[in-house]
Amino acid sequence: MTTPRLLPARGPLRLLALAQFGNSVGDGAYYVTSALYFTHVVGLSPARIGAGLTVAWAVGSVVGVPLGRLADRRGPRGTAVLLALATGAAVASFLVVRGFVPFVLSALVYATAQSGLSAARQALLAGLVAHEERTGALAHLQATLNAGLAVGAALGGVALHQGDRAAYLAVFALDAAAFVGCAAVLRRLPAVAPAPAVPGDRLAVLRDRPYVVLTLLNTVLLLRMPLLSLGIPLWLTERTQAPAWLVSALFVLNTLGVMAFQVRTTRSVSGLPTAVRALRRSGVLMLVTCAVFALSALDAGPWVAAAVLVAGSLVLLAAEMLQSAGSWQVGFDLAPAGRIGEYQGFFGTGVTVARTLGPLVLTALLVEWGTPGWLVLGGAILVASYAMGPVARWAERAGGAGAPCSAPAPATA
């Protein structure tokens, strides 16, 4: 794999990728150390950590929509810079909080700023990249994201090996600094002219029924996200004979696979028809994935179970990349010009909902139901993937949001 396939050409997209890489390095370190930091250093119980983060992300996902609208109206570059700085400040505050209430307040700022930053960056990308190139651009950013997460997770692993308070504090300081660096890189991008306000259009996305249904369906498809972090580890340790270290190997396999092949996979998606086909293929592959993972529980020895799990993870990788490419195209194409931030803020709530409710759903299906649970999960994703096509056509017929939008012209920096 050559560098150009992973790194965008010089210009705004490369700067966006560098910003993405910077904050994903910090996030990767945060993800692997935060649970132990909040228990061992802050002194919170796992139940309180879970409750606080659930409340924070629930609020953050809702506030992300008006923050996306703010990016449309005030300009996405300035909004993204401020939200990146706010995220860094929230992470830095974790260094000093030592109680439940301060922890929840910091988590609220963190989740809200993260949600808004995601929407603002999508609006910024839409303003700097031509309509027909956006899905490919997002593929580059996804590959960069995975590279950053891998580097950050390795750094977090060093902190876990050290296991002391200083190591954890260093990780959180790194994450805060990464968001400051992200803001500095975003500031170097050309400014995008704000979209003019339209009377009576406040939070119009909530009245766009086809887009709301698309977001709900996409949330079902995103139940694949907690599989690697929760569903498969629980299944592997509770229901199979495979060695526990395979959990880490499967995560690395997925991360490297997305880095290597997401851009190539996305080249087949160039409009709504190809996006719908990609989503249908993804749904079929997810059903196959679930069936293969279910077979890993057969009493055939640890290495057979491990081989089956690796095979299922490879099919999952293909399904994930197709689903990402298809949903990116649908989410952008059906958002009207001048409301990209608002619509992407709403579409992005699917990620938060999947990450919040996904653990509960996967625990019930996989741990309690076992093999039938895998088939229920795969069937639900298959149905949702096939439903995306008719709903996308409904959105097109509805007009306005259904029409592909052209990118706003960059303003003078």
Side-chain angles (χ1 to χ4, degrees):
M1 188 64 59
T2 58
T3 299
R5 296 190 181 185
L6 295 177
L7 192 65
R10 291 185 180 275
L13 183 55
R14 176 170 289 191
L15 289 176
L16 280 170
L18 289 174
Q20 180 86 295
F21 180 80
N23 85 239
S24 62
V25 167
D27 280 345
Y30 169 85
Y31 291 152
V32 300
T33 59
S34 58
L36 292 179
Y37 174 81
F38 291 135
T39 53
H40 294 171
V41 178
V42 181
L44 300 176
S45 67
R48 284 196 156 195
I49 294 171
L53 292 177
T54 298
V55 170
W57 280 109
V59 173
S61 64
V62 173
V63 178
V65 179
L67 285 177
R69 175 183 165 82
L70 178 67
D72 292 331
R73 297 294 170 260
R74 300 297 182 185
R77 187 189 67 175
T79 305
V81 169
L82 290 176
L83 289 171
L85 292 174
T87 307
V91 174
S93 72
F94 286 133
L95 294 169
V96 296
V97 299
R98 292 296 180 269
F100 179 64
V101 173
F103 161 72
V104 172
L105 293 176
S106 294
L108 279 170
V109 176
Y110 175 78
T112 298
Q114 278 274 53
S115 297
L117 176 59
S118 176
R121 281 194 301 205
Q122 298 291 67
L124 186 56
L125 181 143
L128 296 173
V129 178
H131 173 267
E132 64 274 9
E133 298 175 359
R134 290 178 193 164
T135 300
L138 283 167
H140 277 294
L141 295 181
Q142 184 69 15
T144 306
L145 169 69
N146 276 265
L149 289 175
V151 173
L155 294 174
V158 174
L160 291 176
H161 178 71
Q162 291 293 112
D164 57 21
R165 182 174 180 273
Y168 290 129
L169 292 175
V171 166
F172 276 76
L174 169 67
D175 196 8
F179 277 102
V180 174
C182 171
V185 175
L186 291 171
R187 184 67 183 82
R188 294 173 55 194
L189 285 163
V192 174
V198 177
D201 73 340
R202 179 177 292 274
L203 299 184
V205 66
L206 301 180
R207 301 191 297 275
D208 189 337
R209 287 181 293 175
Y211 203 86
V212 170
V213 175
L214 279 171
T215 301
L216 292 174
L217 291 173
N218 193 55
T219 301
V220 176
L221 303 184
L222 290 172
L223 287 175
R224 61 158 178 84
M225 295 182 68
L227 271 180
L228 278 174
S229 60
L230 180 74
I232 293 174
L234 288 176
W235 175 261
L236 186 151
T237 55
E238 297 288 333
R239 297 277 188 156
T240 80
Q241 300 174 355
W245 56 261
L246 189 62
V247 170
S248 177
L250 295 179
F251 182 85
V252 172
L253 174 66
N254 181 268
T255 300
L256 294 178
V258 172
M259 287 171 56
F261 298 109
Q262 182 69 75
V263 174
R264 181 180 299 178
T265 301
T266 303
R267 289 174 185 160
S268 63
V269 177
S270 57
L272 278 178
T274 52
V276 168
R277 284 198 295 272
L279 290 169
R280 287 201 299 261
R281 290 168 57 196
S282 173
V284 172
L285 288 176
M286 277 304 303
L287 182 60
V288 174
T289 296
C290 292
V292 173
F293 280 139
L295 291 175
S296 66
L298 295 176
D299 187 9
W303 296 112
V304 172
V308 173
L309 287 166
V310 170
S313 296
L314 291 173
V315 184
L316 172 63
L317 172 63
E320 173 186 341
M321 292 188 294
L322 285 169
Q323 187 271 326
S324 294
S327 64
W328 291 334
Q329 189 78 38
V330 168
F332 267 117
D333 274 12
L334 297 176
R339 295 177 184 165
I340 297 292
E342 178 184 338
Y343 270 63
Q344 284 295 309
F346 183 74
F347 200 67
T349 60
V351 175
T352 305
V353 173
R355 284 178 172 165
T356 303
L357 299 182
L360 299 176
V361 173
L362 294 183
T363 300
L365 289 178
L366 307 184
V367 177
E368 297 181 16
W369 286 18
T371 298
W374 277 112
L375 300 180
V376 170
L377 175 64
I381 292 176
L382 178 66
V383 170
S385 68
Y386 269 77
M388 290 285 278
V391 176
R393 289 189 288 273
W394 174 28
E396 281 190 298
R397 290 193 301 270
C405 48
S406 58
T412 303

